[in-house]
Amino acid sequence: RSPFSALTRVESSVSCSRLNFAVYDEGGARVKQVNQLSTETNFGTASFQLPEGDYQLVVVGHSSNGNPTMTDLKKITFSNKLGFTDTFLYSKKITVTDEPNDMNVELKRIVSLCRFVITDDYPDDVARMRFYYTGGSGAFDASTGFGSVASKQEVFFDVDPDQKRYDLYTFLHDTEGTIHLTVTALDSGDNVICERPFDVPMIQNQITWLTGAFFTGGAGSTGVTLTINADWADESHISF
């Protein structure tokens, strides 16, 4: 078996508390996996002993509450229980020979972000917000970086009167797509106080801001602008 090591290089602006290294054989079967936390002294470096041959190296960076399921190269899955976060990927075919092979790898963002911002005040009886959306994916194909399943994503947030911004991540099935989002305000007994649907255009590695008066505003959406963001590729601002 030949030694093989991988060193990840993540820019300082990237917040990433977990790294998952996985190696797959030519048939797509996982042969090695190493999971790391940012609190570990070796965070960002992993070594493997592998027989000579061709493999696919996959490195996933994220800040979820646990590790994704990585058994299937084409269906790396984050469950709703883990919590969906900003996610980065490195994926490349490698050849292991009888000589040691060290690699420096750089992860790239593969998620899209819908940033939902409420501009009016919460009614007194609103206890939590529910965001349910389809059109994206909670799993991705590591060989392409695109979503690989038709997911029904759902996330709940307890209401803080000072918290008006909610971040919703997804893996698109292509570089562009649309998520179908239903936003629901609930009371402490999960009764519906207000509910509104939105169709949100998304682009990989782009933030789409969806901003407006959720409780007192109208149903229409107006205005789309694009600006440059230093951390993400682009932003899109939509008012509702």
Side-chain angles (χ1 to χ4, degrees):
R1 293 175 180 264
S2 300
F4 169 78
S5 64
L7 172 65
T8 65
R9 183 175 67 256
V10 181
E11 298 298 330
S12 59
S13 61
V14 173
S15 176
C16 180
S17 64
R18 290 181 184 269
L19 287 172
N20 306 106
F21 299 78
V23 179
Y24 301 84
D25 64 19
E26 289 186 281
R30 184 187 57 188
V31 296
K32 296 284 184 179
Q33 182 170 339
V34 173
N35 304 317
Q36 295 180 348
L37 288 170
S38 57
T39 53
E40 299 174 18
T41 56
N42 65 333
F43 185 70
T45 304
S47 297
F48 307 94
Q49 294 288 333
L50 298 167
E52 295 181 31
D54 294 323
Y55 299 91
Q56 183 95 12
L57 170 66
V58 172
V59 187
V60 180
H62 59 98
S63 299
S64 295
N65 296 323
N67 298 312
T69 301
M70 301 183 69
T71 309
D72 187 347
L73 170 70
K74 295 185 177 297
K75 191 181 177 182
I76 296 178
T77 305
F78 288 88
S79 71
N80 283 335
K81 293 181 180 179
L82 294 183
F84 210 112
T85 71
D86 208 355
T87 305
F88 304 83
L89 173 69
Y90 176 86
S91 181
K92 186 177 181 180
K93 292 182 179 180
I94 60 172
T95 299
V96 175
T97 65
D98 59 356
E99 297 292 330
N101 182 16
D102 293 336
M103 293 180 60
N104 292 327
V105 304
E106 185 175 3
L107 281 68
K108 301 293 186 181
R109 179 182 282 111
I110 57 171
V111 290
S112 298
L113 171 59
C114 174
R115 181 159 283 167
F116 191 88
V117 182
I118 296 172
T119 58
D120 51 354
D121 293 330
Y122 297 103
D124 291 339
D125 50 355
V126 174
R128 63 177 184 160
M129 300 293 294
R130 171 186 181 261
F131 297 86
Y132 173 82
Y133 49 108
T134 61
S137 177
F140 66 90
D141 183 339
S143 65
T144 65
F146 294 133
S148 57
V149 298
S151 295
K152 298 177 180 179
Q153 295 178 255
E154 183 179 44
V155 61
F156 291 87
F157 296 93
D158 292 333
V159 165
D160 177 344
D162 297 324
Q163 172 63 40
K164 298 292 188 71
R165 193 183 83 181
Y166 300 94
D167 286 351
L168 312 173
Y169 293 94
T170 196
F171 300 110
L172 296 180
H173 297 278
D174 206 332
T175 54
E176 299 185 24
T178 298
I179 63 168
H180 309 289
L181 170 66
T182 299
V183 182
T184 309
L186 303 167
D187 67 12
S188 58
D190 279 347
N191 298 302
V192 176
I193 303 300
C194 181
E195 183 171 86
R196 294 179 64 180
F198 302 90
D199 288 332
V200 188
M202 306 279 282
I203 298 177
Q204 190 181 52
N205 191 25
Q206 176 174 300
I207 303 173
T208 298
W209 292 73
L210 189 56
T211 306
F214 179 75
F215 298 100
T216 59
S221 296
T222 59
V224 178
T225 61
L226 292 176
T227 59
I228 298 298
N229 181 287
D231 297 323
W232 292 70
D234 287 290
E235 294 184 27
S236 177
H237 290 260
I238 302 173
S239 300
F240 63 85

